[in-house]
Amino acid sequence: MTQSEPVNLTNCDREPIHIPGSIQPHGCLLACDLAVSIVQRHSANTAELLSLESPINGQPLAALVGEQITHDIRNALAGAPDPARAGLLLRQQMANGRVYDISVHRHAGHAIIEFEAADTNVLPVQLARELIGRIRMITTSEELLRKTPALLRAVLDYDRVMIYRFEEDGAGKVESEAKRSDLESFQGQYFPASDIPQQARALYLKNSIRIISDARGQRVSIEPVFDGSGEPLDLSYAHLRSVSPIHLEYLRNMGVAASMSISIIVDGALWGLIACHNYSPKIMTLPQRIASEMFCEFFSMHLIGLLHHHKLNLVTAARDSLDRFLQRASQQTDVMDLLIEVLPDFQTMIDCDGIGFFLQGEWHSLGTVPPAEVIPQLAQHITETGEDRIWTTNQLTAVFPPAAGFYENVSGVLAIPLSHVSDDCLLFFRKERLQTLNWAGNPDKSYETGPFGDRLTPRKSFAIWKETVERQSESWSEADMEIASAIHSAAVEVVLRHSELMQEERDKADLRQRLLNEELNHRVKNILAVIKSLIATPAREAATLQDYITSLKGRIQALAHAHDQVIRGSGGGDIRGLLEAELLPYTAGTAAIQLEGPKVKLDGRAYAVAALVFHEMCTNAAKYGALSRPGGHLTIRWGLDGACDLEVNWQEAGGPKVTPPSRKGFGSSLIERSIPFDLGGSSEINFDLTGLRARMTIPAKFITVTESLDALQPQVIAEMAPGLSGKPENAAVLLVEDQVLIAMDVEMMLSDQGFAKVATANSVTSALEQLETFAPDVAVLDINLGHETSIPVALELHSRKIPFVFATGYDDKTQLPPELGDVTVVRKPYNSEALVRALSQLMMSRH
């Protein structure tokens, strides 16, 4: 940026802040090749902080920091494949006697190692646990946002802690804060989107925590800044990355000397930041940052849950109001009088400043609304541009020029059409955003000139924001649109019903058909009701919250599959395809699954009901029945009975001993009652000792038969494997790995893939002792085991003709003897699919 450019932070969008060529001075940095062997770059303060002698670049890392720490760094990298979650080595004592906290990650062709002075007084897990314990029982998002800043300020000792939320247009608002008593409040203040440039927001998603220890901007250069090809070092994920001088100027203008920002991520998007300011330099140690990051991840998940719960409450309240509306509609003969009566109820359903409806040329309203004389013109404009759909804008003057005369009172509109053939509509209005702002403090403060020209301050940022949001209202949210969609369906139905009373039969039928076709996706009330009942399932059915969540996700996924099939197909789907989809997760197991029956198509209604029932049956079989253990057998047969109804027979065998449940839960009730209640069919479940048996009947009016039963052959979609045959069932594995967390991870991978036994050894001696009494079918050997390698174990396995794979995070196999040069190598960090594929191929070649 040149001195002549205006400082409004839009120029920061061009600044390559991820490759600054320097770091902050409270630590040092080494950049190695991906094998973590040779140092290629270093920060200029490395020699001083680590007590090293020049040269540093070109030296083996082990020669600089020692063999053991080098080995630990490689293992930390192997356990941290995501650069956003760096591998951590806390309280590492170096050769100079000093103790350091080390973080390591791989990115853009380099292994980046950062060293900071260790804090021996902070235990990150204990600190995070204390922080999380203070907020986990909070039940509303408002309370969570209000209490969190005070909690963090008390623990982290910053002068000011704020929660900063991003608006739809990218602007930011300080939702809550805790501060030193002598400081001016920022709460409620807005700042333009340009205050945080786009590339900075992208980095906040990549690297969720960011500290500035001293806003005076001291930098330590990377040597060399550019490599031989002219490329700088990408520090996107580096904790020590230096800061844009423009941003530092902004902080200094606020009087801020140090800061920390933690990302709040909701549904994969940057919802906001926890911003901590200090008015003197302050270094947050790595353990403190780890604890803060852990806390903020829990905070984000807790916030997601509370926001979704709030949204569900809003939708539920809206549904209750619509139910009352429909009840009134059944008793009211005049639709105009009905809408006038319920207008106050509609106003409470969507956050707005005014509401009105335009029906048959008449206008009725409440609250702050446009002048009555412009309503017909506005309604006509909405009809012409809205295509009979819900229509919204938060900048009415941009699309409807006459609004320039009243933009302060009305800048936002949400319109719900009430007719397909006229301009009738229900309208919600919002004021200009600036008219609803509660300004904290004096907005007329003056500002000075700094080294980059006009100084940027919160006051000047607000002035910029004010210019950018003039003639705009708050945006309409997703929840607003969902409620509007529900109002649309109910209102259209009522208006249609009353219109039919005043028209000829032919006109009534034609209008009804056109409106109902237009409302197809908005009238899936049964789907919404089912989802609501699934969510309301008593939590006591599940052993844990995770069980409840897993069960709920599975049920909703089954419903979604059915709905998707209905929408994409011709109104339904094939029963065999539905069963195969629900059984797909279990076809890789050790149970035999057989399907037998003609091609039968279920219509949309029956398909949705059957999807939920079959999902519950499959889930129960996998938990308690034939699909829960090796040797189980599930047979599903279907055909037509004497009344041409579809009869489905479900038979399990070979599973655990069956005992009838002591009480009926939601799932059992769903299985027994859905088909009789929704379809008029029947369901019967028998808990035979040898296996559950069920018979379900779906009436003929819901089915279409496209294949004769006489021409069928049974289809086996999964069967029990006889022995190994290259598959993991009943296979035993020897795992040689010296890192306990990595070993546990691999054990879970293999167990999840069906390997019967995994024996783990952390050294050559331990592995050879295991082989004296244990005969594995296959083995996984980490080549480097601390101060030794697994070559002796490999030679022993080779002599016994037991197949094995090597696992390594290094780039070559030069340390292997010639006779082992053809052994398969699996790269670390482990990938479950690659590892299992390699082991399966070895076992197949052996047999």
Side-chain angles (χ1 to χ4, degrees):
M1 190 191 77
T2 66
Q3 293 286 91
S4 61
E5 287 186 273
V7 183
N8 58 15
L9 289 185
T10 56
N11 38 40
C12 290
D13 284 325
R14 303 188 301 274
E15 189 176 10
I17 60 177
H18 62 298
I19 49 172
S22 59
I23 65 170
Q24 298 181 61
H26 60 271
C28 63
L29 178 146
L30 296 175
C32 299
D33 58 354
L34 290 177
V36 199
S37 297
I38 304 299
V39 175
Q40 297 175 332
R41 304 188 201 191
H42 68 282
S43 60
N45 61 349
T46 301
E48 178 184 354
L49 292 186
L50 300 187
S51 301
L52 301 177
E53 296 182 359
S54 298
I56 294 177
N57 291 344
Q59 298 296 316
L61 179 64
L64 299 175
V65 301
E67 293 284 353
Q68 183 58 51
I69 290 182
T70 300
H71 174 73
D72 293 342
I73 286 173
R74 287 167 174 160
N75 279 325
L77 279 171
D82 183 358
R85 292 186 175 276
L88 302 173
L89 298 171
L90 301 182
R91 302 178 183 177
Q92 299 292 306
Q93 185 169 12
M94 304 288 288
N96 61 5
R98 299 177 189 171
V99 180
Y100 295 90
D101 291 328
I102 305 173
S103 63
V104 294
H105 69 276
R106 284 191 177 99
H107 180 59
H110 293 87
I112 297 176
I113 310 164
E114 299 174 81
F115 299 82
E116 299 177 53
D119 185 342
T120 58
N121 298 317
V122 177
L123 296 175
V125 175
Q126 179 179 344
L127 180 58
R129 184 180 180 187
E130 291 175 0
L131 288 168
I132 290 170
R134 302 290 181 89
I135 67 167
R136 68 185 186 88
M137 300 305 293
I138 292 176
T139 57
T140 67
S141 58
E142 293 81 5
E143 183 183 7
L144 181 66
L145 297 178
R146 185 178 69 254
K147 289 185 175 181
T148 297
L151 171 63
L152 286 176
R153 181 169 183 263
V155 173
L156 302 179
D157 196 30
Y158 274 92
D159 293 330
R160 186 196 303 270
V161 177
M162 301 172 287
I163 292 184
Y164 182 92
R165 175 175 62 85
F166 293 117
E167 301 280 308
E168 292 284 340
D169 59 3
K173 179 184 178 183
V174 178
E175 289 286 347
S176 59
E177 72 172 352
K179 64 181 183 63
R180 219 172 58 196
S181 59
D182 60 315
L183 297 175
E184 179 184 12
S185 175
F186 290 164
Q187 185 159 337
Q189 293 188 14
Y190 285 83
F191 301 90
S194 56
D195 272 22
I196 302 180
Q198 289 303 316
Q199 79 271 35
R201 297 178 191 232
L203 286 181
Y204 277 127
L205 277 173
K206 290 181 178 180
N207 198 347
S208 61
I209 191 165
R210 184 80 175 104
I211 66 164
I212 300 173
S213 59
D214 191 341
R216 288 174 296 186
Q218 297 178 4
R219 294 180 169 214
V220 178
S221 63
I222 301 295
E223 297 181 355
V225 173
F226 301 100
D227 62 14
S229 61
E231 292 295 323
L233 184 63
D234 191 328
L235 298 178
S236 294
Y237 297 96
H239 292 218
L240 295 173
R241 174 169 49 86
S242 62
V243 187
S244 160
I246 301 177
H247 182 63
L248 292 176
E249 167 73 1
Y250 180 80
L251 291 179
R252 291 196 297 270
N253 292 344
M254 296 171 65
V256 175
S259 72
M260 178 173 72
S261 301
I262 315 174
S263 306
I264 303 173
I265 298 173
V266 173
D267 296 332
L270 188 62
W271 183 92
L273 301 171
I274 294 178
C276 306
H277 287 176
N278 213 61
Y279 292 85
S280 60
K282 181 180 179 66
I283 296 176
M284 285 291 288
T285 63
L286 184 58
Q288 289 175 313
R289 300 200 305 272
I290 294 169
S292 300
E293 185 178 27
M294 293 169 63
F295 167 78
C296 200
E297 287 188 353
F298 178 84
F299 174 91
S300 296
M301 290 187 292
H302 196 26
L303 179 62
I304 290 171
L306 295 177
L307 291 175
H308 287 183
H309 181 70
H310 176 66
K311 179 180 175 182
L312 179 61
N313 287 341
L314 288 177
V315 174
T316 301
R319 179 63 60 187
D320 293 340
S321 295
L322 287 177
D323 288 342
R324 292 192 295 271
F325 167 64
L326 293 173
Q327 290 174 2
R328 291 177 181 177
S330 65
Q331 303 166 3
Q332 180 66 264
T333 58
D334 188 285
V335 68
M336 190 78 70
D337 291 342
L338 172 65
L339 290 177
I340 293 173
E341 181 182 346
V342 301
L343 209 53
D345 288 343
F346 282 170
Q347 187 176 21
T348 63
M349 294 168 66
I350 296 178
D351 182 27
C352 64
D353 298 300
I355 186 174
F357 69 87
F358 185 70
L359 184 67
Q360 299 171 12
E362 294 189 31
W363 171 245
H364 298 271
S365 64
L366 289 173
T368 304
V369 300
E373 58 269 19
V374 304
I375 295 300
Q377 186 181 355
L378 177 60
Q380 182 181 5
H381 174 80
I382 291 170
T383 300
E384 292 173 352
T385 60
E387 299 180 352
D388 299 322
R389 298 177 181 176
I390 295 171
W391 181 89
T392 65
T393 180
N394 70 330
Q395 301 180 64
L396 184 59
T397 56
V399 295
F400 185 65
F406 52 86
Y407 69 86
E408 291 184 348
N409 288 333
V410 175
S411 285
V413 179
L414 184 152
I416 299 175
L418 299 178
S419 172
H420 185 71
V421 295
S422 69
D423 297 338
D424 297 346
C425 54
L426 177 64
L427 301 171
F428 295 81
F429 302 103
R430 284 180 176 169
K431 293 181 179 180
E432 185 191 29
R433 198 172 183 180
L434 291 176
Q435 304 306 309
T436 60
L437 174 67
N438 294 319
W439 178 251
N442 175 18
D444 299 320
K445 254 188 175 179
S446 62
Y447 20 87
E448 303 172 358
T449 299
F452 293 99
D454 288 346
R455 301 187 75 183
L456 278 169
T457 69
R459 296 301 180 191
K460 190 166 185 180
S461 285
F462 176 76
I464 296 171
W465 177 85
K466 183 176 178 179
E467 291 177 4
T468 63
V469 300
E470 189 180 33
R471 304 191 179 203
Q472 295 182 31
S473 73
E474 294 285 349
S475 299
W476 303 96
S477 69
E478 182 183 350
D480 294 332
M481 296 298 293
E482 289 187 14
I483 294 172
S485 178
I487 294 175
H488 188 196
S489 296
V492 164
E493 183 175 346
V494 170
V495 171
L496 175 61
R497 184 186 307 165
H498 285 266
S499 297
E500 287 176 345
L501 298 176
M502 299 179 290
Q503 297 181 20
E504 294 291 334
E505 189 67 28
R506 182 184 298 273
D507 293 336
K508 289 192 305 180
D510 180 64
L511 181 61
R512 184 179 184 85
Q513 185 64 48
R514 292 166 66 182
L515 281 173
L516 290 178
N517 287 342
E518 184 68 21
E519 290 303 307
L520 178 61
N521 280 327
H522 302 290
R523 297 281 303 276
V524 193
K525 294 181 181 178
N526 288 335
I527 299 296
L528 293 176
V530 170
I531 293 176
K532 182 178 177 182
S533 67
L534 293 179
I535 294 174
T537 302
R540 63 174 179 269
E541 280 190 35
T544 65
L545 177 61
Q546 185 59 43
D547 291 338
Y548 171 76
I549 293 172
T550 301
S551 176
L552 178 61
K553 286 172 63 178
R555 289 165 178 165
I556 292 178
Q557 187 173 1
L559 190 63
H561 169 76
H563 181 63
D564 183 61
Q565 178 66 26
V566 170
I567 295 299
R568 291 189 295 106
S570 55
D574 179 66
I575 186 174
R576 181 185 295 276
L578 174 58
L579 285 167
E580 290 176 348
E582 292 297 334
L583 289 165
L584 182 62
Y586 315 110
T587 56
T590 57
I593 303 173
Q594 181 173 322
L595 304 180
E596 182 178 349
K599 280 191 176 180
V600 176
K601 181 179 179 181
L602 306 177
D603 72 6
R605 183 176 178 182
Y607 196 93
V609 172
L612 282 175
V613 171
F614 290 152
H615 173 78
E616 292 298 323
M617 296 287 288
C618 293
T619 301
N620 289 342
K623 286 183 177 179
Y624 316 113
L627 303 183
S628 68
R629 62 164 53 173
H633 193 282
L634 170 61
T635 301
I636 306 173
R637 295 186 176 91
W638 62 91
L640 304 185
D641 62 13
C644 292
D645 296 334
L646 178 66
E647 182 175 300
V648 181
N649 288 284
W650 181 289
Q651 178 67 63
E652 298 180 29
K657 181 180 177 182
V658 176
T659 57
S662 58
R663 64 178 181 83
K664 287 186 178 179
F666 180 86
S668 299
S669 298
L670 188 150
I671 294 170
E672 291 186 349
R673 300 182 59 187
S674 290
I675 293 178
F677 187 88
D678 291 326
L679 305 179
S682 64
S683 292
E684 177 183 340
I685 300 178
N686 296 289
F687 298 92
D688 297 341
L689 286 176
T690 57
L692 183 140
R693 178 168 49 87
R695 183 177 64 84
M696 293 157 278
T697 302
I698 299 176
K701 63 182 179 180
F702 298 108
I703 68 171
T704 302
V705 181
T706 58
E707 182 181 23
S708 170
L709 181 62
D710 296 335
L712 291 178
Q713 294 294 330
Q715 179 186 8
V716 177
I717 65 171
E719 58 183 298
M720 186 171 60
L724 288 176
S725 299
K727 296 183 180 180
E729 288 86 2
N730 301 319
V733 182
L734 172 64
L735 171 63
V736 182
E737 171 60 63
D738 65 332
Q739 290 295 307
V740 63
L741 293 179
I742 298 175
M744 292 169 61
D745 188 35
V746 177
E747 288 172 2
M748 286 187 288
M749 286 183 190
L750 296 176
S751 177
D752 289 343
Q753 294 294 333
F755 286 85
K757 180 179 180 181
V758 180
T760 302
N762 63 358
S763 66
V764 171
T765 301
S766 174
L768 294 176
E769 288 176 354
Q770 293 260 24
L771 289 174
E772 292 178 4
T773 58
F774 174 62
D777 299 293
V778 70
V780 180
L781 310 181
D782 184 7
I783 296 178
N784 292 279
L785 303 172
H787 299 293
E788 60 183 358
T789 71
S790 60
I791 300 302
V793 183
L795 293 173
E796 178 64 20
L797 293 171
H798 184 67
S799 67
R800 298 188 184 195
K801 294 183 170 41
I802 297 174
F804 60 91
V805 298
F806 281 124
T808 180
Y810 298 93
D811 286 336
D812 57 55
K813 299 191 292 183
T814 56
Q815 55 190 311
L816 300 179
E819 60 267 38
L820 300 179
D822 295 331
V823 175
T824 300
V825 174
V826 176
R827 306 297 301 173
K828 295 176 68 175
Y830 292 98
N831 174 278
S832 177
E833 294 182 1
L835 178 60
V836 171
R837 188 184 308 114
L839 296 181
S840 299
Q841 289 173 351
L842 285 178
M843 289 187 289
M844 283 190 292
S845 63
R846 184 185 184 188
H847 291 78

